[in-house]
């Protein structure tokens, strides 16, 4: 279970993810910190508008926010 490192390692392995190209989103900071410790890019969810801003800052394409 989050935030144990093994869950992130399992997901990376199972889905053949490249951690540096994978974004993890969670509303709990310790889970975000654990994902970062495993090499994933991670952001804490606080609102849809903030998530959009965070994803754009990571250079990811996102659709328009209506809210």
């Amino acid at each position: 279970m989050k935030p144990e490192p093994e869950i992130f390692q399992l997901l990376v392995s199972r889905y053949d993810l490249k951690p540096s190209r994978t974004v993890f989103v969670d509303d709990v900071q310790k889970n975000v910190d654990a994902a970062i410790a495993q090499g994933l890019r991670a952001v804490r969810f606080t609102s849809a508008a903030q998530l959009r801003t965070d994803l754009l800052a990571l250079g990811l394409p996102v659709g328009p926010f209506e809210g």
Side-chain angles (χ1 to χ4, degrees):
M1 291 185 74
K2 297 178 290 184
E4 297 301 318
E6 293 82 9
I7 190 65
F8 298 104
Q9 294 164 4
L10 176 64
L11 290 171
V12 166
S13 174
R14 180 176 289 171
Y15 297 104
D16 196 27
L17 302 174
K18 183 174 181 182
S20 64
R21 296 184 49 86
T22 302
V23 178
F24 174 78
V25 179
D26 199 292
D27 63 339
V28 178
Q29 188 63 48
K30 68 180 178 180
N31 295 338
V32 171
D33 294 341
I36 291 169
Q38 294 302 307
L40 284 81
R41 300 185 328 177
V43 295
R44 183 173 180 201
F45 179 85
T46 56
S47 71
Q50 184 60 51
L51 178 60
R52 183 178 193 280
T53 298
D54 293 340
L55 294 176
L56 286 170
L58 290 172
L60 297 173
V62 295
F65 174 70
E66 298 177 19

